[in-house]
Amino acid sequence: MDTSEMAHYMVDLFLSAVHVRKNGNLPTSEDFNPSLNPDNVRISLKFIKVEFKSMRIDGMKLDSSPRPQSTLNQSAAAQSSFSRGSKKLLDEIFVGIDRDVEHIRDKLVEDQKKLDVVSIVGMGGLGKTTLATKVFNDAYVKHHFHVRVWVTVSQTYDKRGVLTQILESIRGQLHLEKANDSRLRELVHKNLMGKRYLIVIDDIWHIQTWDNLKVFFPHDNTGSRILLTSRQTEVAMHANSDGLIHHLGYLNKEKGWELLCQKVFQGRDCPEWSIKVGMQIVENCQGLPLALVVIAGVLAKHAWGKKFWKEIAERTSSYIVGGQNGCLETLGLSYSHLPEHLRECFLYLGGFTEDYMFQVERLIWLWVAEGFIQKDGNISLEDIAEGYLMDLIDRNLVIVADRSKSNGGVKACKVHDLIRELCLEKAKEEGFILETEKLILSPQFSNGITPTYKLVRVFINEESINPYFPYPTTQNLRTILCFLNIKYSGNAIVNGSFVLLRVLDLQNRRRIQFSEDMKLLVHLRHLAIRIKSEGFPSSICNLWNLQTLIYITAYRRSVVLPGNISDLVNLRHLLGHKNNVFVFPLTEKPMNLQTISSLELGNGVGDCLKCFPYIKKLRCHTYLETEYDFKSLNYLVKLKLIGNFETSVDRITFPTSLKTLTLERCGLPWSEMSIIQSLPNLQVLKLHSWAFNGSCWNTDGQEFPQLIKVLEYNAIEGSCWDTDGQKFQQLKFLRLEGLDLKTWKAYSASFPCLKQLEIIGCHILEEIPFEIGDIPTLELIQIRGCRKCVDESARRIEEEQHDFGNYNLKIHII
């Protein structure tokens, strides 16, 4: 809301003026006024308050959250007309989905009497309706079901309309105008009772809609089925969490080309010249069937025009975006259905470069710094933000690009190019301003079009952008993210009066000389820089709003932090280069840090750790023969402890909150394993080179209650590992890497939940225990860099399991 933004702008500007006067350093811009006084600010806020109240009185009609039902209905009605038109584009396009059809058909006709629900889920334009149509019209499906009904629901649920559709599908055109809803429901139930029916419910958006619909269908053990299509995973899960949820993916290049040819040439041979340029068009459409069909509609009018095809290949993206029946209108339905709290998070994705791979952790920190995440009880902002991201993934607007092998969590994600275009279009429409590419070169900030208090975010994606920001009236600039490795002057930030910056991310640029004037950027919450100087600038500690600091320097391994580092009272995440280690001063003032990428523990270890009572993720380097006591860190869930080969650690104690533990070069006696074994929440254990000292590890009787990953890289000295008596109750992923392990004795009962086993670089291992194959949950054994006898033992396990009818176990040998 503009009024709210204006209020924030006035308060932040006043705070900046106070901070500037206190530090005695003024920006060079003539537009920044450091003499704002409290009286003027109070008058401005009073005016804003009056305006805000008048807006509320005027219109309960204008209340933006939630939107009035009449507005929802009008927008849904307008969109549904396009939705019907766009679905016609995909009619009779059955390329590349034969296996999908077989999979769903087999599930629908399987021998189960109980009513079952099968779902097809995917983003708009992937062809969910097309796939459901082919299944619906399959010859065996027609033969199997006595009654088949197709119902289209869309965003606006009309109970009477749905009941009418069902009845007319069964009995043809009926005159039902005089029948009330109760009578219609009775007729539906009567016509379905005792029959094996298939109901396709196409384009369902709401959980509440399903709850209303499901009562219409009788449960009389006739083998009936319901097939849903939806963009919302949560709807499918709610309908039947145990049933088949078929996630529809993108077409590969071959299938995309087949689809394009079918629509353009309609069975005729394609000219040879069209193949290369056509493949480029297919690649531009990124596997989205609806995009391909839209472009095919353009090409079909010029099927034999080589020059026109080349032009389309160069401008494919604009045809998809700008066509009257283009894809963005279809994809826009997903956006209009987003709750308010997700919209800013979604639009933000559009500012990043095409095919950008979002690291989930970093994206979450940016969302928090931008102020998109609203506090909810005692839940951390980062956890709330992760929930927001999972919601966008469930809505098929964000694609999972990488998952953790140990726990399946999402590590990286991305958005389809068309989704990015949608973000940019909606950002312009809704005033969520994203300055990208070359827009920064125009004097747009002060041209009267954009209000001075309207937040501006700059994403620098183009080499030609001027990094010195020549237009100084930019006090409303909140964000600068740079994706280029080009020269940059730190003074440009302050000289441009960017005093209200919240996010400044320059880590992808060449190392810059840190400007002392940057201490004026008191509103900074996220700072990522690559610095030339060796020493850590103490003026950074004046930025008391900082939540995330990514500080990269290549000059020395150790980064000694200044004595006033604890002044950063809001700092939650401190990261450096992988070779940088932070050295903290001893201080009695505790910090709110949750993440430290690398910390040097020297003298006064206990006092140092007491400075981080809220730490969750910590990587430490140790150099002393002493005791390391982490048990007071009650929030710690992930710890990596790295020693050296010259000294060994006497003893380590851990908090019960710990879930992930990595030990390397610690030289612990094996008797200390009992301490690790006793950790009640441990899920991940990685033992690297010389983590323990000794040739024998006797683990008889030890249990790891929730262990998910164990034993990496030369962690154990000795040639025999016998797991008799051990039971890894929750172990799902096991990797043995670089171990001097010759004989491994294991039993299926030792790993009752194991899903994946990886053996990497175990050069003297003789074989994999046969009993491993008897683990009922085991899905994959992967072997790399081992002796031939290990490979052969894996093959024997596979053959034996096949003899028993177990074809779920896969063997990958690299």
Side-chain angles (χ1 to χ4, degrees):
M1 183 182 293
D2 285 351
T3 307
S4 174
E5 289 177 358
M6 188 187 301
H8 278 289
Y9 175 76
M10 290 298 299
V11 171
D12 288 349
L13 203 59
F14 174 72
L15 291 175
S16 291
V18 171
H19 187 71
V20 166
R21 287 204 305 271
K22 179 181 177 182
N23 285 273
N25 250 334
L26 300 181
T28 58
S29 168
E30 298 176 359
D31 298 280
F32 181 73
N33 179 11
S35 61
L36 285 173
N37 62 67
D39 290 335
N40 291 339
V41 174
R42 277 195 292 269
I43 292 171
S44 297
L45 291 178
K46 184 176 181 181
F47 170 77
I48 292 170
K49 183 178 179 180
V50 170
E51 182 178 341
F52 179 70
K53 284 185 174 180
S54 66
M55 289 175 65
R56 292 190 65 187
I57 292 171
D58 249 359
M60 302 280 178
K61 306 172 183 175
L62 298 179
D63 186 12
S64 63
S65 174
R67 287 187 291 166
Q69 189 61 42
S70 59
T71 306
L72 285 171
N73 291 340
Q74 289 168 10
S75 63
Q79 291 160 346
S80 64
S81 62
F82 174 80
S83 177
R84 287 190 294 271
S86 64
K87 285 185 178 182
K88 290 179 182 177
L89 294 172
L90 287 177
D91 282 350
E92 300 178 2
I93 302 301
F94 300 137
V95 172
I97 61 174
D98 289 338
R99 289 186 179 179
D100 304 78
V101 170
E102 291 175 9
H103 184 50
I104 295 171
R105 180 192 62 201
D106 292 344
K107 183 63 178 177
L108 292 176
V109 302
E110 71 180 4
D111 189 20
Q112 175 183 316
K113 299 301 181 183
K114 182 182 176 182
L115 177 64
D116 196 20
V117 179
V118 175
S119 300
I120 303 172
V121 176
M123 64 172 278
L126 279 178
K128 300 182 297 296
T129 301
T130 301
L131 175 57
T133 299
K134 190 166 187 184
V135 172
F136 187 79
N137 292 324
D138 179 87
Y140 189 78
V141 170
K142 288 181 179 179
H143 169 77
H144 183 77
F145 292 101
H146 306 144
V147 175
R148 293 177 305 120
V149 174
W150 185 286
V151 177
T152 301
V153 177
S154 298
Q155 288 193 74
T156 305
Y157 168 60
D158 176 8
K159 181 170 75 171
R160 184 177 181 85
V162 169
L163 290 170
T164 301
Q165 286 185 65
I166 294 173
L167 288 170
E168 290 184 347
S169 292
I170 299 172
R171 300 177 59 181
Q173 190 67 37
L174 299 171
H175 300 285
L176 301 170
E177 296 81 9
K178 295 182 179 180
N180 59 29
D181 291 354
S182 179
R183 175 58 178 162
L184 293 178
R185 179 176 170 178
E186 181 185 333
L187 288 172
V188 166
H189 202 269
K190 181 179 179 180
N191 280 275
L192 294 177
M193 181 63 72
K195 298 174 182 174
R196 186 190 301 129
Y197 59 83
L198 170 65
I199 309 288
V200 175
I201 302 177
D202 187 35
D203 199 20
I204 183 170
W205 286 72
H206 302 281
I207 287 175
Q208 296 89 338
T209 300
W210 167 251
D211 288 339
N212 288 329
L213 281 173
K214 66 182 181 181
V215 299
F216 301 160
F217 311 123
H219 296 241
D220 50 359
N221 294 323
T222 57
S224 297
R225 302 287 184 266
I226 297 173
L227 178 61
L228 306 180
T229 73
S230 181
R231 300 186 189 191
Q232 316 292 343
T233 303
E234 64 176 4
V235 174
M237 289 291 293
H238 181 75
N240 187 1
S241 59
D242 297 324
L244 172 64
I245 299 177
H246 186 83
H247 292 271
L248 204 56
Y250 299 97
L251 297 179
N252 59 31
K253 288 183 69 173
E254 291 71 27
K255 294 300 181 183
W257 172 242
E258 183 180 350
L259 172 59
L260 192 69
C261 287
Q262 180 176 323
K263 290 301 294 181
V264 173
F265 300 106
Q266 298 181 5
R268 295 173 291 178
D269 292 336
C270 63
E272 187 174 343
W273 59 259
S274 70
I275 297 175
K276 183 176 180 180
V277 67
M279 280 296 190
Q280 182 61 51
I281 293 172
V282 169
E283 187 172 352
N284 290 345
C285 289
Q286 305 264 324
L288 192 66
L290 185 55
L292 284 163
V293 173
V294 170
I295 296 304
V298 177
L299 293 173
K301 298 179 181 180
H302 304 269
W304 308 105
K306 183 176 181 180
K307 182 179 178 181
F308 185 75
W309 275 58
K310 289 183 177 180
E311 183 180 331
I312 291 295
E314 294 171 0
R315 302 176 60 189
T316 301
S317 180
S318 63
Y319 274 87
I320 295 171
V321 173
Q324 184 176 0
N325 290 325
C327 292
L328 286 190
E329 289 89 342
T330 296
L331 301 177
L333 288 172
S334 292
Y335 176 76
S336 63
H337 187 64
L338 277 180
E340 291 293 331
H341 68 273
L342 292 180
R343 293 194 174 194
E344 288 182 318
C345 295
F346 175 66
L347 294 180
Y348 197 69
L349 305 179
F352 292 80
T353 54
E354 285 189 16
D355 301 318
Y356 186 84
M357 188 76 71
F358 296 94
Q359 298 303 312
V360 166
E361 193 170 54
R362 183 178 174 228
L363 177 62
I364 285 173
W365 293 345
L366 285 169
W367 280 353
V368 171
E370 293 282 3
F372 299 157
I373 312 303
Q374 304 303 314
K375 188 67 179 172
D376 183 10
N378 295 324
I379 307 173
S380 72
L381 292 175
E382 288 81 4
D383 287 343
I384 296 171
E386 185 177 2
Y388 287 7
L389 179 61
M390 294 304 107
D391 201 344
L392 290 173
I393 290 172
D394 284 344
R395 293 170 184 272
N396 301 291
L397 293 172
V398 174
I399 303 167
V400 175
D402 188 25
R403 288 186 179 274
S404 168
K405 286 186 176 180
S406 58
N407 59 20
V410 180
K411 292 174 60 178
C413 59
K414 60 182 181 178
V415 294
H416 192 280
D417 287 351
L418 291 178
I419 294 293
R420 180 177 178 270
E421 292 292 335
L422 174 67
C423 291
L424 292 173
E425 288 293 314
K426 293 298 180 181
K428 293 175 185 177
E429 290 176 14
E430 303 203 2
F432 185 91
I433 300 176
L434 293 170
E435 301 296 329
T436 59
E437 300 174 352
K438 301 177 183 178
L439 299 181
I440 190 66
L441 291 177
S442 65
Q444 165 165 342
F445 294 114
S446 55
N447 62 6
I449 298 174
T450 302
T452 57
Y453 58 83
K454 195 71 177 177
L455 302 186
V456 178
R457 297 176 176 89
V458 175
F459 294 76
I460 303 176
N461 301 332
E462 295 288 336
E463 292 266 2
S464 58
I465 290 181
N466 188 334
Y468 295 97
F469 301 99
Y471 298 98
T473 310
T474 51
Q475 291 178 176
N476 54 341
L477 184 64
R478 288 289 187 164
T479 300
I480 299 176
L481 285 104
C482 179
F483 303 95
L484 299 176
N485 186 15
I486 61 177
K487 292 180 180 179
Y488 177 77
S489 168
N491 291 323
I493 293 292
V494 178
N495 291 342
S497 293
F498 300 156
V499 292
L500 300 188
L501 271 179
R502 288 184 181 175
V503 173
L504 176 59
D505 194 325
L506 304 174
Q507 65 174 312
N508 290 324
R509 296 196 175 218
R510 294 172 188 168
R511 292 187 294 275
I512 68 172
Q513 187 66 44
F514 186 83
S515 168
E516 286 297 310
D517 289 338
M518 291 182 77
K519 67 185 179 183
L520 301 179
L521 305 181
V522 69
H523 296 289
L524 266 185
R525 300 177 182 177
H526 182 105
L527 175 62
I529 49 175
R530 190 180 296 267
I531 294 292
K532 287 182 180 178
S533 59
E534 293 189 33
F536 185 94
S538 61
S539 56
I540 287 181
C541 300
N542 292 328
L543 306 177
W544 54 270
N545 264 314
L546 267 187
Q547 299 171 351
T548 299
L549 174 58
I550 302 173
Y551 181 89
I552 299 173
T553 177
Y555 278 93
R556 60 172 56 186
R557 186 168 181 269
S558 295
V559 178
V560 180
L561 301 175
N564 60 339
I565 187 68
S566 58
D567 289 345
L568 296 176
V569 294
N570 292 301
L571 188 64
R572 297 206 283 264
H573 312 288
L574 176 62
L575 287 88
H577 187 271
K578 63 181 180 180
N579 295 322
N580 295 150
V581 180
F582 293 106
V583 181
F584 273 78
L586 291 179
T587 175
E588 295 180 359
K589 189 176 180 180
M591 301 185 68
N592 286 311
L593 277 163
Q594 297 178 11
T595 306
I596 302 178
S597 63
S598 194
L599 170 69
E600 180 177 307
L601 291 178
N603 291 320
V605 172
D607 292 333
C608 181
L609 292 176
K610 289 177 182 177
C611 296
F612 317 119
Y614 305 108
I615 198 74
K616 293 182 177 180
K617 298 180 181 179
L618 180 61
R619 182 172 180 256
C620 299
H621 289 259
T622 68
Y623 302 99
L624 302 175
E625 278 189 51
T626 186
E627 181 174 331
Y628 291 88
D629 185 0
F630 295 92
K631 65 176 181 293
S632 63
L633 304 179
N634 296 323
Y635 295 92
L636 188 64
V637 295
K638 185 174 184 179
L639 173 66
K640 181 171 185 178
L641 190 60
I642 303 172
N644 61 76
F645 287 113
E646 298 177 3
T647 60
S648 60
V649 176
D650 286 348
R651 183 178 174 85
I652 309 177
T653 55
F654 304 102
T656 57
S657 57
L658 200 63
K659 294 182 178 179
T660 300
L661 175 62
T662 303
L663 298 177
E664 181 176 334
R665 304 198 301 268
C666 293
L668 286 164
W670 280 109
S671 59
E672 294 296 294
M673 180 58 78
S674 61
I675 297 174
I676 299 174
Q677 173 261 324
S678 66
L679 296 175
N681 295 302
L682 188 65
Q683 296 180 357
V684 177
L685 174 63
K686 303 177 185 179
L687 304 180
H688 290 186
S689 174
W690 205 55
F692 285 82
N693 183 24
S695 61
C696 179
W697 177 23
N698 185 355
T699 58
D700 189 26
Q702 294 179 359
E703 292 188 2
F704 295 74
Q706 293 186 343
L707 197 62
I708 291 182
K709 188 178 180 185
V710 65
L711 302 176
E712 274 192 39
Y713 190 61
N714 207 25
I716 299 176
E717 293 185 7
S719 61
C720 177
W721 180 29
D722 189 343
T723 61
D724 189 20
Q726 299 177 8
K727 188 171 184 180
F728 299 84
Q729 295 178 357
Q730 299 296 326
L731 189 67
K732 297 178 182 177
F733 181 97
L734 174 62
R735 176 187 292 164
L736 309 178
E737 183 169 355
L739 300 180
D740 292 330
L741 189 63
K742 183 178 181 180
T743 304
W744 179 22
K745 297 179 181 179
Y747 309 91
S748 60
S750 302
F751 308 102
C753 299
L754 191 67
K755 289 187 175 181
Q756 292 188 36
L757 169 64
E758 291 186 3
I759 304 177
I760 303 170
C762 294
H763 301 299
I764 63 173
L765 183 65
E766 295 179 342
E767 66 176 3
I768 302 172
F770 252 41
E771 291 82 358
I772 287 292
D774 296 330
I775 300 171
T777 56
L778 190 62
E779 297 173 354
L780 174 66
I781 298 176
Q782 184 167 302
I783 301 168
R784 184 169 74 239
C786 295
R787 296 167 64 186
K788 187 176 181 181
C789 55
V790 175
D791 300 346
E792 291 172 350
S793 67
R795 292 298 184 196
R796 288 198 300 272
I797 290 173
E798 183 180 38
E799 291 173 4
E800 183 182 67
Q801 291 303 308
H802 284 180
D803 290 341
F804 292 142
N806 176 16
Y807 291 91
N808 293 324
L809 178 60
K810 307 298 180 185
I811 306 292
H812 291 168
I813 299 176
I814 303 173

